Amino acid sequence: MEMALTNKKNFNEGGYSAPEEKYKIRKRKASPGDIAFHICNGIFMILFVVITLYPVLNTLAISLNDGTDALRGGIYLIPRKFSLKNYATVLQKDNLMIGAVVTVARTLIGTALALITNAILAFIVSRKNFIFAKQLSLFWVITMYVNGGMIPIFLLYKGLGLTNSFAVYVIPGMVSAFNMLVIRTYMRGIPDSLEESAQLDGAGYTTIFLHIISPLCKPVYATVALFVAVGQWNSWFDAMLYNRMSDNLTTLQYELMKLLSSVTNQSSSVEAMKNSSGSVTPMSVRAAATIITMLPIICIYPFLQQYFVSGLTLGGVKE
Amino acid sequence: MEQKKRLFKNISLVEFKRQRVLIIWSVFFVAYGLVFCYAPLVGWLMAFQNYKPKDGILHSAFIGMTKFKMLFSDATFIRVIRNTLAMGVINLVATFVMAILFAILLNEIRLKGSKKVIQTISYLPHFLSWIIVTGILHDALSGSGIVNELLTKFHLVSQPINFFAHEEYFWPIVAFANVWKETGWNAIIYLAAITAIDPSLYEAAAIDGAGRWNKIKYVTLPGIKPTIIILLIMNIGNVLNAGFEIQYLLGNGLVQQVSQTIDIYVLKWGISQMDYSLGTAAGIFKSAVSIVLILICNTIAKRHGEERLF
């Protein structure tokens, strides 16, 4: 337990805690230069925040606005003619709903598989007296720098029967050298004495992994899980390349991409679908689909900040 | 090899038995790695063959470097290399400069609460997919989008600009999109590095009469120099990898002269036109250049006594 606490403390130090606390210099009168600097800095930061947030908020406003009305332009942050019709339309589109189910499934299964395998691999290569630890580590680090490229990989998956299957989303990318290194670095920080005393009590490696090391690694597991989950949630290229023919294996992002290309290609011949409760256009429907797609991530990431900050700092370590 | 043998000798039978479970798992991980990471390398042979799917790698005829010669006599491929390199370098420089600038400036913000809020907001675009980001770009840069609206409002242009129809805008748009998406995320590691700088250095600088600007120049920047260099090395090796999704999603017939990258070329010739040999050759060229770039950067860093990758 004490171990876990010290680790956590290290992470916070290496993370994003405010540095000014450390070097609070004697208060001296702010020079005109300093004041000018702070004003410019403040303006820069406000601009930065506006440019970052505006497009997202604007999409939100359009998604909540009547479709035909939105085509007139002039919608910024607040919907002019409020309507939930866009969301209703999205929820009625079968392919989007299938995409959502597949995306949720691949995110959950893919993250679980990746976390389990990377954790086991990291555990193996971080055992100091394991005879093949070095070789196995090198074997995986090489894969970070050399890969076969798109065509050989495509043909391999085809040969293995992974095309037009759900497995192509979760099996091939399961083990990643980068994620393994992040976990390995963390595990190396855990004192050997814990493992040694467990060994004296007769614990095998399985017990040590499950009951001694893993409970201490929760923070780094969370980091890697977040990295993998975001990657799974956002990927679309594999759906396009390997599962193009299987409509029931489409993903949310891939469906969104099809919506985008239909909007950009047919913007001149926009056909608004009218009915009693208002109208929708491809543009407004896409805005609603975009918001639905980004919502889960936006809701989750602020609470996981400390994890990805520490994970990124760990990832920057030398091999 | 010799070390390995010695290790073997030093390990007792009991210990070997105890490590049995580790060895079994290692076999799994080696097998998995061989299938998914190393087997595709065998596919590189296709680049030297006239590969026919029905014959497979084993029975297709070897034709030497013909495919590579074809590649380099193809004006499109030369242009594609130029596009990839140009966008890779522009993106690398733009995202690097912005991330460092943002980290340094954010560090100077004195209100602790606002600092945290700004940083949280700055991560947001990183979590959005390129599909969403390009969708947003299309909206913002369209004829009735916010950018054209602002430009016409301030009378900077008389007619809305069709940003996606002109070649000269494509590279800047891609660079901007990368900066928009990754600045906050990339700044994380610099902020961590700034935090690790010894506070007494700032105190000493203050005593010497350094203002804010000089402190940044003589304390902060030298303090994060090792971080900058190691990230630069890691990213230079990736310069040729930096171009696929956004170019694929934003490119259109009007700008394809400047938008197509090596990966798009591979996709077009390899997958769509089924010329697997040509696509593989292009992929090998990309890998080879990347590895050479990493090695060069690493050597330079080593010679200058800086932090390095391996």
Side-chain angles (χ1 to χ4, degrees):
Chain A
M1 197 55 222
E2 197 185 80
M3 186 47 232
L5 285 174
T6 42
N7 257 321
K8 192 148 183 167
K9 189 166 155 279
N10 284 335
F11 280 161
N12 284 338
E13 277 173 11
Y16 55 90
S17 62
E20 75 267 32
E21 293 167 336
K22 280 190 177 172
Y23 61 93
K24 218 159 221 163
I25 304 158
R26 273 169 287 123
K27 275 246 155 47
R28 58 189 176 92
K29 258 194 189 149
S31 69
D34 278 1
I35 295 171
F37 177 89
H38 277 298
I39 291 173
C40 291
N41 197 6
I43 293 172
F44 174 86
M45 287 300 159
I46 291 170
L47 260 177
F48 181 89
V49 169
V50 168
I51 293 174
T52 305
L53 280 186
Y54 175 79
V56 177
L57 295 175
N58 181 243
T59 309
L60 181 66
I62 290 173
S63 76
L64 289 168
N65 197 80
D66 181 79
T68 324
D69 180 65
L71 288 180
R72 280 169 44 217
I75 294 172
Y76 304 104
L77 297 175
I78 300 158
R80 187 168 47 215
K81 201 171 157 193
F82 185 81
S83 156
L84 287 173
K85 188 83 180 110
N86 299 314
Y87 287 93
T89 312
V90 170
L91 295 178
Q92 277 161 15
K93 280 188 183 251
D94 284 343
N95 49 354
L96 276 170
M97 285 303 102
I98 294 170
V101 172
V102 174
T103 304
V104 170
R106 69 177 288 179
T107 304
L108 293 178
I109 298 171
T111 307
L113 281 177
L115 189 58
I116 293 168
T117 49
N118 282 309
I120 295 174
L121 179 58
F123 175 77
I124 297 174
V125 297
S126 61
R127 294 311 95 199
K128 289 208 176 61
N129 40 17
F130 177 47
I131 40 175
F132 299 123
K134 265 222 167 92
Q135 290 85 345
L136 190 61
S137 203
L138 183 68
F139 176 87
W140 277 99
V141 169
I142 289 172
T143 65
M144 280 173 84
Y145 299 102
V146 191
N147 77 73
M150 198 188 298
I151 308 284
I153 290 175
F154 177 79
L155 293 175
L156 174 75
Y157 293 177
K158 225 172 144 181
L160 291 174
L162 284 169
T163 46
N164 295 312
S165 78
F166 181 78
V168 78
Y169 295 142
V170 293
I171 300 294
M174 195 167 66
V175 183
S176 115
F178 177 82
N179 290 334
M180 180 273 279
L181 288 180
V182 171
I183 304 178
R184 190 190 72 177
T185 311
Y186 195 96
M187 284 179 172
R188 279 185 176 168
I190 297 172
D192 298 336
S193 54
L194 280 171
E195 187 189 329
E196 283 157 14
S197 60
Q199 266 177 25
L200 288 179
D201 292 343
Y205 279 109
T206 314
T207 316
I208 293 170
F209 173 69
L210 288 176
H211 299 292
I212 309 229
I213 304 295
S214 284
L216 295 174
C217 286
K218 274 181 196 153
V220 75
Y221 287 174
T223 308
V224 169
L226 177 78
F227 287 165
V228 178
V230 170
Q232 286 283 4
W233 186 266
N234 281 341
S235 66
W236 55 278
F237 187 62
D238 45 12
M240 186 180 94
L241 197 58
Y242 307 121
N243 289 343
R244 187 196 285 268
M245 303 301 172
S246 312
D247 285 339
N248 56 350
L249 288 172
T250 186
T251 66
L252 208 48
Q253 302 285 350
Y254 185 41
E255 288 304 316
L256 199 59
M257 182 203 143
K258 288 191 208 158
L259 273 181
L260 171 74
S261 43
S262 71
V263 172
T264 47
N265 293 339
Q266 307 163 5
S267 50
S268 51
S269 61
V270 174
E271 282 174 37
M273 291 168 276
K274 278 208 185 256
N275 65 29
S276 55
S277 56
S279 65
V280 295
T281 60
M283 177 182 148
S284 62
V285 171
R286 184 170 61 80
T290 304
I291 295 296
I292 291 177
T293 308
M294 65 166 84
L295 207 60
I297 293 183
I298 290 186
C299 292
I300 293 169
Y301 91 87
F303 302 100
L304 296 172
Q305 266 192 60
Q306 76 176 97
Y307 294 130
F308 60 73
V309 167
S310 58
L312 215 62
T313 322
L314 275 181
V317 292
K318 287 206 287 184
E319 163 41 29
Chain B
M1 206 55 215
E2 204 183 282
Q3 196 193 2
K4 202 167 139 191
K5 271 187 192 152
R6 215 180 307 135
L7 265 170
F8 256 113
K9 276 179 196 159
N10 285 350
I11 270 169
S12 66
L13 201 65
V14 184
E15 179 64 17
F16 193 81
K17 251 185 160 169
R18 227 175 59 77
Q19 293 190 356
R20 202 175 40 196
V21 60
L22 299 185
I23 292 168
I24 293 168
W25 273 106
S26 300
V27 170
F28 166 77
F29 282 111
V30 170
Y32 178 92
L34 284 177
V35 171
F36 287 104
C37 303
Y38 288 88
L41 296 177
V42 179
W44 279 11
L45 285 175
M46 284 188 294
F48 307 97
Q49 292 178 328
N50 190 10
Y51 179 80
K52 296 255 174 17
K54 66 172 166 52
D55 297 336
I57 291 178
L58 291 178
H59 299 107
S60 291
F62 277 89
I63 49 168
M65 305 293 282
T66 317
K67 289 288 174 184
F68 286 93
K69 280 180 195 137
M70 265 172 75
L71 266 188
F72 288 101
S73 54
D74 182 2
T76 314
F77 188 67
I78 305 297
R79 200 166 53 232
V80 158
I81 295 176
R82 179 205 66 179
N83 293 344
T84 314
L85 268 179
M87 277 186 272
V89 171
I90 294 171
N91 292 346
L92 181 70
V93 172
T95 50
F96 246 79
V97 170
M98 275 306 289
I100 294 166
L101 184 74
F102 178 70
I104 291 173
L105 290 180
L106 187 68
N107 187 52
E108 298 291 333
I109 295 278
R110 286 289 166 264
L111 288 164
K112 205 183 170 198
S114 68
K115 186 169 171 176
K116 196 105 193 267
V117 171
I118 294 172
Q119 211 183 353
T120 306
I121 291 171
S122 77
Y123 302 144
L124 188 146
H126 171 81
F127 292 102
L128 305 181
S129 68
W130 275 116
I131 309 270
I132 292 178
V133 174
T134 48
I136 283 171
L137 271 176
H138 264 288
D139 290 345
L141 295 174
S142 69
S144 56
I146 182 79
V147 174
N148 270 315
E149 203 171 321
L150 287 175
L151 287 176
T152 38
K153 203 169 255 172
F154 293 108
H155 301 290
L156 292 167
V157 293
S158 51
Q159 285 273 318
I161 302 170
N162 188 353
F163 285 99
F164 295 107
H166 297 285
E167 291 182 348
E168 66 266 33
Y169 294 125
F170 194 80
W171 293 354
I173 290 173
V174 170
F176 175 80
N178 273 292
V179 166
W180 186 77
K181 198 169 185 292
E182 304 298 347
T183 295
W185 185 257
N186 292 343
I188 291 177
I189 213 152
Y190 297 114
L191 278 163
I194 292 173
T195 317
I197 295 173
D198 184 356
S200 63
L201 290 174
Y202 287 98
E203 282 161 35
I207 290 164
D208 289 345
R212 219 155 268 297
W213 172 244
N214 281 330
K215 274 190 223 159
I216 290 173
K217 195 170 157 193
Y218 295 111
V219 182
T220 312
L221 274 177
I224 58 175
K225 196 174 146 200
T227 313
I228 295 177
I229 287 175
I230 192 154
L231 285 179
L232 205 58
I233 297 172
M234 287 169 82
N235 284 305
I236 283 177
N238 268 326
V239 154
L240 295 184
N241 276 327
F244 177 69
E245 286 192 55
I246 182 172
Q247 288 85 352
Y248 183 81
L249 293 166
L250 277 186
N252 60 57
L254 293 170
V255 294
Q256 64 173 351
Q257 299 274 336
V258 294
S259 73
Q260 289 203 335
T261 61
I262 296 179
D263 286 323
I264 295 177
Y265 184 90
V266 172
L267 184 70
K268 198 174 144 195
W269 283 100
I271 308 275
S272 306
Q273 307 283 329
M274 306 258 278
D275 191 338
Y276 294 131
S277 295
L278 195 71
T280 308
I284 292 177
F285 170 75
K286 201 187 87 170
S287 290
V289 174
S290 295
I291 292 169
V292 169
L293 283 175
I294 292 178
L295 291 178
I296 291 174
C297 291
N298 205 49
T299 314
I300 293 172
K302 201 186 262 178
R303 194 163 296 162
H304 289 263
E306 298 288 355
E307 198 83 30
R308 59 183 192 273
L309 215 52
F310 41 79

